[in-house]
Amino acid sequence: MYFAARDAAGNASVTATGVPVKLDNTAPTTTLAGSNLYDLTGNAATTLADKTTYLATATAFTLSGTVEEANLASATVAVNGGTATDLTVNSETSAWTYSPTVTTDGQYVYDITLTDKAEHTTTKTVTVRRDTTGPVVTITSPVADSQISSATTNVEGTAVDALSGTRYVYWTTNGSLSAGTFSYNDENARKKVTGDSWATVASPLSIEFTDE
């Protein structure tokens, strides 16, 4: 764009002044990736999706991505709606990495916000549940110290896990689960839990639960 001026006496400016401008109608965006994260079925998650929840069992995990924007002005991350802090975006590769250290179990919401020089803004959100605590197990039937008259009995109970949800109930009739006599890969000795309740028919047994 070029501009010139004329005064009241009819004198024109000697030269026109030019101002370079760029038309930008596109908001910035970024890919999303992660490490040490799992989806809600327990599978490793390396490619992440916007507005999706993932699980973490380690203190440290990583969020990363590649920005798609030639005229980026800023990139920030905010945790649980708190104050945003700057993300460093590599000027050559457009890559960024964020590696928080989380020592307390709970849910953490990460908002990645990109703004370009035309003031277009995009926010990508990833939720991470850090869960290092197993389900709370309760056996509701049979009650403790009850006597049964058959070799098998109905066993019922609950297994509550507030963060990940209980995934399976495992059982064994050959000693304790912690005695090394039990395989978590044994499809015949586990049952998927729906909600918080479970039930099985078995001989006197030991029971253990795993979350997602």
Side-chain angles (χ1 to χ4, degrees), residues 6-84:
R6 186 180 296 274
D7 62 20
N11 300 306
S13 54
V14 177
T15 59
T17 300
V19 178
V21 296
K22 294 180 179 179
L23 179 63
D24 183 357
N25 290 322
T26 304
T29 189
T30 181
T31 60
L32 293 172
S35 64
N36 283 345
L37 294 175
Y38 303 87
D39 63 24
L40 297 184
T41 63
N43 297 313
T46 54
T47 300
L48 309 184
D50 185 27
K51 297 180 176 62
T52 303
T53 299
Y54 299 92
L55 304 175
T57 58
T59 300
F61 54 87
T62 298
L63 303 177
S64 61
T66 301
V67 174
E68 299 174 10
E69 173 59 56
N71 301 298
L72 187 69
S74 66
T76 63
V77 58
V79 184
N80 291 340
T83 302

Side-chain angles (χ1 to χ4, degrees), residues 81-161:
T83 302
T85 58
D86 290 337
L87 282 175
T88 299
V89 179
N90 187 292
S91 60
E92 296 183 358
T93 64
S94 297
W96 59 270
T97 299
Y98 178 66
S99 300
T101 298
V102 179
T103 59
T104 304
D105 282 7
Q107 180 164 287
Y108 300 84
V109 180
Y110 298 92
D111 292 319
I112 311 298
T113 300
L114 308 174
T115 304
D116 66 17
K117 294 178 181 178
E119 299 184 352
H120 299 121
T121 298
T122 297
T123 298
K124 301 280 189 178
T125 301
V126 175
T127 299
V128 177
R129 295 176 186 167
R130 183 177 186 268
D131 186 1
T132 60
T133 304
V136 176
V137 179
T138 301
I139 297 176
T140 57
S141 178
V143 299
D145 299 323
S146 60
Q147 297 182 12
I148 59 175
S149 59
S150 64
T152 62
T153 187
N154 292 322
V155 182
E156 300 177 357
T158 61
V160 179
D161 189 285

